[in-house]
Amino acid sequence: MKFVTDRLYYHDSFLFQFEASVEESIERGDKHAIILDRTAFYPTSGGQVHDTGRLVVVESNEEVPVLEVADLDDGRVVHLTQSALGQGARVRGQIDATRRIDHIQQHTGQHVLSAAFMQLFNMATVSFHMGVESCTIDLDSQSVAAEQMERAERLANEIIAQDRPVAVRFVPLEEAQELGLRKLPPKQTGDLRLIDIKDFDLCACGGTHVRATGQIGCILLRKAEKVKQGTRMEFICGLRAITMARKDYATLTEAAALYSSHIHELPQQIRKSLEEAKSAAKAQHKLLEELADFQAEKLLAAAAGSPRLVVVVFPERDALFIKLLAQKLTAGKTDVVALLAAAAGQTTLVFAQSTGLQSNMGQLLKQTLAERGGRGGGSAELAQGGLPGSHDPASLKEILDNVAKQL
Ligand SMILES: [Zn+2]
């Protein structure tokens, strides 16, 4: 008969140490594929991620870390390591128990959650993914309402609190088909491995599970999002849920401290702040308009020449203000040219003239900027651009005066 690895985890999910013999040790790229006659290491399958741990050679005590564990098509389990092991050597397998227990919690939690969605809303689970931070199931439903999420989460947690026994049994395929399983595997020969959550859920699965639902700890649903095959539901179980809840609380507490408010009042506080910021911006814009009006009047009164020329550098004003001012200076007039610069933030130049005058502000600005590595443009009437680096007011005034000579 063909050799198949004896999977010890099929019978005990909490077996973290075992002894085995090395059947094969094959070089595979920069790693080695170790095949044992028996193993408690779980290979990645059915959405559950593989175990890690180490193999210790009994004779020499040499330790070889197990980096990855995978299923081969022929029923064998392969352990990927950095170094080779001698064929026939006796080894002790040691599984990283913390990682395994976390996987058991997430994986069995998924059974309970999938069954809850099925029983309450007839939503079947079409796939399961276990991530480093969180897990997801895809439900074959176009949408899942917030209220449905809450109800499924509640039922799942009630089943956990009831600490229902989780039994494993092997049943011939024909018999299993009569039992009304929530999920049948796509192709299977021989006996099916059934996971039976007492009076709640029965399904075929090759993964590792808790002995009773209380060991899952708890289930916390996170977000639901639409995907191609239905709705993706993010969830976490056991200690992961506690860790995440702790992190969420710390984040909320930090944010609430900034507002000197209670965490539950945060949305209200943030809405209020946003409204305040919006009306403050509106008031500021109104003041800027008034200031620009006032400045324009003052500058025009002092301007000389024909057309009247206004050349000013504003060291403490920004682009928004000088653009506003340029419009105030030229709009409704027939004889004004304004060459303005602002140095607050990025250095900005704004050139503007009254409609009907002969110069081309866009062209003038482009020339001025091109000589100095700046970028910008505009129409014949109004143009705006930025200069790289910082410039003192005197050098900006010199640039503007040079432009004025070309008019
Ligand atoms: Zn399972």
Side-chain angles (χ1 to χ4, degrees), residues 4-272:
V4 175
T5 310
D6 182 10
R7 296 167 193 244
L8 305 172
Y9 62 83
Y10 270 174
H11 310 283
D12 185 358
S13 295
F14 291 83
L15 178 70
F16 303 128
Q17 299 222 31
F18 65 98
E19 269 202 27
S21 295
V22 176
E23 289 282 333
E24 276 181 66
S25 176
I26 314 153
E27 211 174 300
R28 206 192 254 185
D30 61 343
K31 296 205 173 62
H32 292 268
I34 312 286
I35 292 167
L36 306 173
D37 60 340
R38 60 210 290 269
T39 189
F41 278 93
Y42 186 77
T44 296
S45 55
Q48 183 176 334
V49 193
H50 67 85
D51 288 322
T52 56
R54 55 198 173 165
L55 298 173
V56 182
V57 180
V58 172
E59 200 171 89
S60 63
N61 264 340
E62 183 201 351
E63 283 189 17
V64 177
V66 174
L67 309 170
E68 210 183 312
V69 188
D71 250 335
L72 295 180
D73 287 341
D74 60 9
R76 294 182 301 170
V77 175
V78 61
H79 309 73
L80 290 184
T81 63
Q82 291 290 12
S83 33
L85 289 173
Q87 198 178 355
R90 288 296 289 170
V91 290
R92 268 194 311 275
Q94 295 173 349
I95 288 159
D96 178 343
T98 309
R99 179 179 160 101
R100 162 67 77 79
I101 290 169
D102 169 60
H103 291 174
I104 289 176
Q105 285 185 322
Q106 310 310 316
H107 178 76
T108 322
Q110 181 259 312
H111 279 248
V112 176
L113 186 62
S114 291
F117 272 111
M118 193 64 183
Q119 288 185 14
L120 290 171
F121 312 113
N122 204 29
M123 292 175 186
T125 295
V126 289
S127 72
F128 165 54
H129 172 76
M130 187 189 288
V132 176
E133 275 207 339
S134 62
C135 308
T136 59
I137 49 172
D138 288 353
L139 295 165
D140 74 341
S141 172
Q142 285 310 299
S143 67
V144 180
E147 190 238 335
Q148 291 177 310
M149 284 174 68
E150 262 177 58
R151 282 182 58 196
E153 184 184 63
R154 180 157 190 99
L155 174 59
N157 280 294
E158 280 167 0
I159 297 297
I160 290 171
Q162 288 158 9
D163 201 22
R164 295 187 184 215
V166 178
V168 180
R169 59 179 203 265
F170 292 83
V171 173
L173 183 61
E174 309 76 51
E175 198 182 310
Q177 280 161 341
E178 312 276 293
L179 291 172
L181 302 186
R182 176 166 57 76
K183 203 179 94 196
L184 263 176
K187 52 172 184 184
Q188 185 86 26
T189 50
D191 286 358
L192 277 188
R193 183 172 184 258
L194 301 187
I195 310 304
D196 188 353
I197 301 175
K198 194 172 169 42
D199 299 331
F200 184 66
D201 187 48
L202 184 65
C203 79
C205 182
T208 56
H209 307 87
V210 296
R211 295 185 186 112
T213 54
Q215 288 181 309
I216 297 168
C218 60
I219 294 184
L220 179 66
L221 290 198
R222 306 275 292 174
K223 64 178 181 212
E225 64 180 332
K226 222 178 133 45
V227 291
K228 213 169 156 194
Q229 53 184 345
T231 302
R232 182 157 297 167
M233 190 67 56
E234 189 183 302
F235 70 96
I236 34 181
C237 301
L239 277 178
R240 280 197 198 195
I242 303 296
T243 307
M244 189 60 87
R246 168 67 35 215
K247 197 169 155 191
D248 289 351
Y249 186 75
T251 307
L252 282 171
T253 303
E254 193 184 335
L258 294 173
Y259 286 97
S260 307
S261 85
H262 187 274
I263 58 167
H264 294 154
E265 284 157 11
L266 260 182
Q268 195 188 329
Q269 287 288 347
I270 290 170
R271 262 194 293 275
K272 200 175 133 205

